[in-house]
Amino acid sequence: LDLRLLARQHCFTGYSLPEILPPQQYALNQGKYPVFTRHHVVDWNYLPQFPRNRPNRWWVEVEESDVDGPTSFKEHSIIRDRDTNVPVYFERWMRIAPYSHQKLKYFAARKVRKNRQDRDAVLIVVGGHFALVVDRDIESATAKFKSNEQALTHLRAHCGGGGAFFVDYLLDSELHDAETLRVHMDLARQYLDLEGSYGLVHNSEISGSSSMKSESWTIHKSTHPWKEGSQLFDHGQSIHFEFSSLTAKEMPKKMTWTSANGTRSQCYGDWEIFECSFDREELQQLFPTTQQVSIPRYLSLFSKL
């Protein structure tokens, strides 16, 4: 029962690319709004046996505004209901404090995968908020259905795809005998081993808010509920930033997440940095670990001369 409940969660991370389409391609004649194509890096509902035939596309309808600009928007799907000709879903999004006038900084990095065993991961910081997503080992969780044609045929006959339906299928005692259920229990645990954690960074000077709790990098919500209330960085972990020049405002090329206490984590290793508005000093204040900042050796020699 616990595994079935965990399967009812949802988490994804990725990026969206905006574009303006011809007016006739919009629902509700809303041609003035941008359209976004969402590309998932990690997706809770991903199953190789049931691939999506296209990425999710949506357009935004900006709603309320105040002195800080728009405070909310609605997300409408590009796909329309055939009978009503309206979007098949919409979601309303609202900004949370602090607002733009408090000079929010942002940071986004993705784990560098060096082999098939390395898992994809994304770390994002916006103001005083952070989010971390670490992918599951999808190869191990679905290997049975890649090498066994009979198992794949049975899966497709009784499962419509999606994380919850896949776990339900694995644990269905009416479809499988006791030995198969024992094997499937491990597969279900592997499939649910996708972490999506959200929390608060304690640094009022950088975040623009003085309401942060005393703990640093505290996880408040997670697809792994047992992690809620813990810190993202354990004692002994360190972050190493690498820059390509001496310019103070330059964005770092990469960061390396390591540990000196012998623990193991899919987060350890090199991360490629995609976005960063923090300068070097702010990065050292932001990450509550032993910080080292390196630059190429020839630039260090040049600066000493």
Side-chain angles (χ1 to χ4, degrees):
L1 179 60
D2 289 343
L3 295 180
R4 291 175 185 264
L5 289 176
L6 287 176
R8 263 74 190 162
Q9 303 178 101
H10 189 53
C11 173
F12 64 86
T13 184
Y15 61 93
S16 296
L17 299 177
E19 60 182 319
I20 301 296
L21 298 180
Q24 62 270 20
Q25 294 189 29
Y26 286 83
L28 304 180
N29 194 29
Q30 298 291 336
K32 64 180 179 179
Y33 296 118
V35 169
F36 295 83
T37 301
R38 179 181 293 130
H39 300 273
H40 288 182
V41 173
V42 178
D43 189 342
W44 182 267
N45 285 319
Y46 174 65
L47 263 180
Q49 290 73 25
F50 297 90
R52 292 185 62 148
N53 57 5
R54 57 183 175 270
N56 183 31
R57 305 182 76 204
W58 48 281
W59 56 275
V60 297
E61 178 184 0
V62 179
E63 290 188 298
E64 306 161 8
S65 294
D66 59 17
V67 293
D68 297 310
T71 60
S72 68
F73 68 87
K74 288 182 180 178
E75 172 185 336
H76 302 266
S77 67
I78 287 292
I79 302 299
R80 289 175 274 183
D81 184 271
R82 293 182 179 180
D83 298 325
T84 63
N85 199 36
V86 298
V88 295
Y89 82 87
F90 84 88
E91 300 172 352
R92 185 167 180 261
W93 293 76
M94 292 189 65
R95 289 194 305 171
I96 56 178
Y99 291 148
S100 58
H101 70 281
Q102 294 171 299
K103 299 180 180 179
L104 294 186
K105 296 296 185 76
Y106 52 84
F107 175 92
R110 182 179 182 184
K111 176 83 182 296
V112 177
R113 299 182 66 191
K114 297 183 178 180
N115 53 59
R116 295 179 67 89
Q117 285 69 45
D118 279 349
R119 302 189 194 182
D120 226 330
V122 173
L123 174 64
I124 296 174
V125 179
V126 179
H129 307 267
F130 75 86
L132 172 72
V133 176
V134 182
D135 201 3
R136 55 171 72 91
D137 181 359
I138 193 66
E139 297 286 339
S140 298
T142 61
K144 170 183 176 178
F145 305 101
K146 291 183 179 180
S147 58
N148 188 322
E149 189 64 33
Q150 182 178 356
L152 177 59
T153 300
H154 191 268
L155 170 69
R156 288 176 171 167
H158 296 91
C159 176
F165 292 119
F166 181 58
V167 172
D168 285 348
Y169 166 80
L170 292 175
L171 305 179
D172 193 333
S173 59
E174 295 184 1
L175 295 176
H176 313 292
D177 57 33
E179 177 60 23
T180 301
L181 286 174
R182 185 188 64 79
V183 174
H184 282 188
M185 186 75 72
D186 290 335
L187 295 182
R189 291 193 179 99
Q190 292 176 25
Y191 187 79
L192 294 173
D193 190 21
L194 187 161
E195 179 184 356
S197 293
Y198 159 79
L200 295 177
V201 180
H202 172 61
N203 194 311
S204 59
E205 180 180 350
I206 293 178
S207 69
S209 172
S210 60
S211 62
M212 302 302 169
K213 294 186 176 181
S214 58
E215 300 86 358
S216 296
W217 296 87
T218 301
I219 296 173
H220 290 268
K221 296 292 181 181
S222 180
T223 57
H224 292 170
W226 53 91
K227 291 191 174 185
E228 294 177 4
S230 65
Q231 271 63 56
L232 178 63
F233 295 100
D234 294 331
H235 295 293
Q237 295 184 10
S238 62
I239 299 294
H240 176 94
F241 288 101
E242 181 176 318
F243 296 83
S244 59
S245 75
L246 296 171
T247 305
K249 297 296 183 180
E250 181 211 12
M251 187 176 78
K253 292 196 308 181
K254 73 173 184 179
M255 74 173 192
T256 304
W257 188 337
T258 60
S259 174
N261 58 15
T263 60
R264 300 179 62 183
S265 170
Q266 285 293 333
C267 292
Y268 297 160
D270 293 336
W271 292 66
E272 182 180 1
I273 298 174
F274 288 94
E275 298 282 353
C276 180
S277 63
F278 297 97
D279 61 30
R280 294 187 189 188
E281 182 177 351
E282 290 170 335
L283 285 172
Q284 292 179 348
Q285 296 173 12
L286 181 69
F287 288 86
T289 53
T290 302
Q291 297 293 314
Q292 296 179 354
V293 179
S294 67
I295 56 176
R297 184 172 181 271
Y298 73 89
L299 285 177
S300 299
L301 294 174
F302 183 79
S303 65
K304 292 177 182 179
L305 294 175

